Structure formats: structure tokens, C-alpha cells
Amino acid sequence: RKEVEQDPGPFNVPEGATVAFNCTYSNSASQSFFWYRQDCRKEPKLLMSVYSSGNEDGRFTAQLNRASQYISLLIRDSKLSDSATYLCVVTSGSSNTGKLIFGQGTTLQVKP
Amino acid sequence: GAGVSQSPRYKVAKRGQDVALRCDPISGHVSLFWYQQALGQGPEFLTYFQNEAQLDKSGLPSDRFFAERPEGSVSTLKIQRTQQEDSAVYLCASSLGSVRFFGPGTRLTVL
């Protein structure tokens, strides 16, 4: 079983739709949580950190449930430019020095 | 630019050949990480350096893989006697704090 599990999709949604991605992680000692975005044939880039209290950045909302070891990402009012792969990431150890453990990624295609 | 750079961007190797992949981290970044990303998968951790010290090499898949960062800046990932299963994108990331900045990767194809 992978340490971080995501539904690979693809999720095909129309512009303007709201879409939610989920991810589960197996190591209860994981300390930091992130969503990264990866465009086709490009490197991963940090989208946002995820906190237990939930956090929002514009159209993006991330949530962490430590008890269920579950992380979510909600995208409202989808844009064509949101089409990408979204990687759920946890750290093993310190957020500064710990290794990032990536999920397989969930592919989003936003259609006109 | 001031980002992480990697070279070569693409490498085609014949099975059994040795390859060396280079990473130039962002100037001043203490931490450097190597990841391997197979097609359709998320990146998998290979190894971690803090300055010149290799503090974690638990992700290196075999003793054919070797990484170094002798002066605490540029790092090289070497793969000896390449196999077809080594075909992947090799990503380097550097950080000063908690945010990792990834380079564009080296796409290795082993024929």
C-alpha cells in the first residue's frame, strides 16, 4: 500500500464547476501537508500548504483531518488554466529537512 | 534566472551505460533533494543533502545509484550500468526553509 493515496482520475469538468480531490496518508506521524501542482512535462510547484484549521487561497480551499488521515482540495469556479495534475504531499519528519512523500497525483481537465 | 537548474534536460543512454545528472540549486540553499518520477506516478524520494553531508539515502533503489555534493552547492546523481527500469524524470529540489523549489528535471531514457 502506498503511503499517500489519491484517485488518479482524470476528472473532466466544465469551466465554472466546483471540483474536489481527496487523499489519504498512512503515516500518523506525518507532520506537514501540501498540495503541489504539476503541469504536463513540467516540475511540481507548491500550490498551498494544508492546515488542520483549513485554509483558503482565492478559489482554492484545503482541509486536513488528522484523525482520519485525510486531506482535501476544493477548487471553485474552475478555469481552463486549472488543468494540471494535483499532487498530495506529506512530509516525513521536519518540514524543513524531511523528505516529501508524494501521492500518484490526480489529473484535472477543465473543458470549455 | 535564479531557479534550480538541471542538465542535461534529456539523456538517452544504452543499457549498461553510466550517466551523470547535474543539479545547480538556488544559491544559498542548504538542503538539496533528488527525486525520481516514473511516467504517470508522483515523484519518489531518492536522497537528501544538507550542505555537503548526505543525510538520507534511503530512497536510492540500488547500489548503482550514487549522489554527491562535494562543496555543498552543485550536486551530481550518477547511475552506473543503466537498466531500462531507470527510465524516468530525475528531479532536483533545493530549499532554505520549508518550501522546496524544483528544477525542470532530466528525462532519462534507457534503450
Side-chain angles (χ1 to χ4, degrees):
Chain A
R1 185 184 170 213
K2 281 183 166 282
E3 197 166 337
V4 178
E5 301 238 29
Q6 294 182 253
D7 177 351
F11 284 59
N12 294 301
V13 303
E15 269 186 293
T18 295
V19 61
F21 305 138
N22 304 316
C23 136
T24 57
Y25 61 95
S26 60
N27 185 353
S28 58
S30 299
Q31 296 184 12
S32 302
F33 309 87
F34 307 93
W35 283 101
Y36 274 70
R37 171 189 169 132
Q38 187 170 28
D39 292 288
C40 188
R41 303 180 83 85
K42 299 283 190 181
E43 71 272 23
K45 291 185 178 175
L46 179 65
L47 179 67
M48 59 198 301
S49 300
V50 189
Y51 305 110
S52 297
S53 52
N55 49 301
E56 192 173 304
D57 182 1
R59 298 181 293 108
F60 298 82
T61 301
Q63 197 81 40
L64 165 66
N65 184 322
R66 282 188 184 268
S68 303
Q69 295 179 203
Y70 172 96
I71 305 164
S72 65
L73 177 68
L74 183 77
I75 306 176
R76 290 181 300 278
D77 187 23
S78 301
K79 311 290 184 192
L80 294 176
S81 57
D82 294 335
S83 297
T85 296
Y86 291 83
L87 296 158
C88 178
V89 185
V90 306
T91 59
S92 164
S94 148
S95 62
N96 284 6
T97 60
K99 58 189 179 188
L100 301 182
I101 312 294
F102 287 81
Q104 179 182 359
T106 298
T107 299
L108 172 65
Q109 287 280 355
V110 182
K111 308 285 191 183
Chain B
V4 179
S5 60
Q6 293 186 245
S7 61
R9 291 294 312 279
Y10 302 90
K11 176 70 180 176
V12 178
K14 291 183 179 177
R15 192 160 57 92
Q17 191 178 350
D18 296 350
V19 298
L21 313 180
R22 177 187 168 110
C23 172
D24 283 81
I26 294 171
S27 178
H29 278 195
V30 168
S31 298
L32 186 145
F33 304 82
W34 283 98
Y35 286 82
Q36 179 191 59
Q37 187 171 23
L39 192 64
Q41 301 297 315
E44 298 269 353
F45 171 81
L46 293 176
T47 188
Y48 159 60
F49 290 86
Q50 188 171 82
N51 296 306
E52 68 279 3
Q54 190 175 18
L55 298 186
D56 188 343
K57 53 182 181 179
S58 61
L60 296 176
S62 78
D63 58 9
R64 296 186 295 104
F65 286 70
F66 172 76
E68 60 183 3
R69 194 186 185 197
E71 296 176 1
S73 55
V74 171
S75 178
T76 304
L77 176 67
K78 297 179 179 176
I79 309 173
Q80 296 177 320
R81 305 181 303 281
T82 52
Q83 305 294 315
Q84 282 191 315
E85 62 262 28
D86 299 335
S87 295
V89 175
Y90 290 84
L91 294 162
C92 175
S94 71
S95 70
L96 192 56
S98 61
V99 179
R100 273 51 155 189
F101 295 89
F102 282 84
T106 294
R107 184 173 297 273
L108 173 65
T109 303
V110 182
L111 303 177

